[in-house]
């Protein structure tokens, strides 16, 4: 199993797809791991060299407790990409993964060929995230499970998927969740994304109550130069509710 060692963390990653194809890095949301992309992979394997990474403190990526930053999480991706032999790559990330992708496009513009922020935002309510972080650190993951699940998936989703995501959420490292929550709380992307040079496709979900187009996606489209937009019939975790549609949008944009 491939791991990359970085200061304060051991990062788990997987390669899929074709080694001779354009590279695509897939990043997960807070509270999930690389399995978030499982249903999308069959539609992308024949087209791309795929790299999935468990974000620091999530899945099999162990991390020391503490507040993480968006810059730290972006540097994690660069370290894994180096280890995996990817000099340049496109990035698609959901929620926190999209935030990391935007930070990556700003920190390493020479390496990010295209950017796809999925169901994400450049700004969130810092006070509510501070409360969530304190609750998780004090009471564990069960204390925020209902809140998170209410925003992850819609009522139209499959019960089996809901149960799988909830089980994963309840068993994840509370300190890892809190550390990534601090990165969301403290991010300063909103005033910087106008400098993103990579061609960008903003993906929003029509049933996403966490980062809907109104108030979130619309600002990315307006501020990232030349950004395109596509809306999918999905809630916040679009790879779970609209995998085929998301894969089609990714392929169309990345291969254009």
């Amino acid at each position: 199993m491939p791991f990359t060692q970085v200061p304060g963390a051991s990062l788990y990653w997987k390669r899929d797809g074709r080694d001779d194809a354009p590279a695509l890095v897939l990043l997960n949301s807070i509270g999930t791991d690389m399995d978030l992309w499982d249903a999308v992979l069959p539609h992308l394997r024949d087209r791309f060299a795929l790299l999935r990474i468990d974000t620091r403190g999530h899945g099999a990526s162990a991390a020391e407790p503490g507040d993480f930053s968006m810059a730290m999480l972006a540097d994690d991706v660069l370290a894994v990409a180096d280890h995996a032999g990817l000099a340049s790559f496109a990035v698609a990330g959901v929620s926190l993964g999209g935030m990391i992708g935007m930070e990556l496009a700003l920190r390493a513009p020479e390496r990010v060929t295209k950017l796809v922020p999925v169901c994400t935002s450049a700004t969130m309510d810092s006070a509510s995230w501070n409360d969530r972080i304190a609750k998780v650190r004090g009471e564990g993951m069960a204390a925020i499970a209902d809140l998170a699940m209410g925003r992850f998936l819609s009522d139209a989703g499959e019960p089996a998927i809901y149960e799988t995501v909830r089980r994963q959420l309840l068993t994840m490292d509370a300190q890892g969740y809190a550390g990534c929550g601090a990165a969301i709380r403290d991010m300063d992307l909103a005033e910087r994304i106008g400098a993103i040079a990579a061609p960008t496709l903003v993906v929003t979900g029509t049933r996403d109550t966490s980062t809907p187009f109104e108030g979130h996606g619309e600002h990315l489209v307006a501020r990232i130069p030349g950004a395109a937009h596509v809306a999918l019939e999905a809630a916040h975790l679009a790879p779970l509710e609209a995998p085929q549609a998301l894969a089609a949008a990714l392929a169309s944009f990345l291969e254009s």
Side-chain angles (χ1 to χ4, degrees):
M1 292 177 19
F3 286 88
T4 296
Q5 307 303 318
V6 295
S10 176
L11 305 172
Y12 178 58
W13 53 275
K14 280 185 181 179
R15 286 284 304 270
D16 288 285
R18 291 172 43 203
D19 288 340
D20 62 342
L24 171 60
V25 175
L26 300 172
L27 303 176
N28 57 282
S29 72
I30 191 170
T32 69
D33 61 21
M34 67 172 68
D35 291 350
L36 176 65
W37 290 97
D38 278 358
V40 180
L41 294 186
H43 307 289
L44 299 178
R45 278 197 183 100
D46 292 339
R47 299 171 181 254
F48 301 101
L50 300 169
L51 172 63
R52 289 179 295 156
I53 305 167
D54 278 347
T55 302
R56 178 183 290 243
H58 286 61
S61 291
E64 295 174 0
D67 287 359
F68 309 155
S69 69
M70 211 58 71
M72 176 191 295
L73 300 178
D75 285 346
D76 286 349
V77 176
L78 293 174
V80 171
D82 288 343
H83 196 174
L86 302 182
S88 62
F89 46 85
V91 182
V94 179
S95 189
L96 170 63
M99 299 166 191
I100 298 169
M102 289 185 279
E103 182 70 36
L104 268 171
L106 291 164
R107 283 178 82 74
E110 74 285 356
R111 299 191 67 176
V112 177
T113 58
K114 290 190 177 183
L115 174 65
V116 186
V118 181
C119 296
T120 190
S121 183
T123 181
M124 300 294 286
D125 186 327
S126 296
S128 65
W129 270 101
N130 204 46
D131 290 345
R132 194 186 304 194
I133 292 162
K135 188 175 284 289
V136 165
R137 284 182 170 152
E139 303 173 39
M141 293 303 299
I144 58 94
D146 288 341
L147 169 67
M149 291 303 302
R151 297 181 178 184
F152 274 172
L153 300 167
S154 67
D155 293 337
E158 297 179 20
I161 292 176
Y162 181 96
E163 292 171 14
T164 298
V165 174
R166 183 179 175 85
R167 188 183 309 115
Q168 182 183 58
L169 185 66
L170 287 170
T171 56
M172 81 165 291
D173 176 29
Q175 293 299 328
Y177 185 99
C180 284
I184 295 174
R185 177 195 64 198
D186 300 335
M187 68 176 168
D188 61 349
L189 288 168
E191 301 306 317
R192 299 165 56 222
I193 57 174
I196 290 176
T200 301
L201 174 67
V202 176
V203 178
T204 58
T206 58
R207 299 193 293 266
D208 183 4
T209 60
S210 182
T211 54
F213 180 77
E214 296 76 13
H216 294 277
E218 63 182 341
H219 295 309
L220 303 185
V221 175
R223 295 175 186 175
I224 298 175
H229 171 243
V230 64
L232 305 181
E233 293 295 322
H236 194 56
L237 298 186
L240 297 179
E241 292 201 346
Q244 194 163 354
L246 177 56
L250 283 169
S252 176
F253 174 67
L254 297 176
E255 294 175 339
S256 63

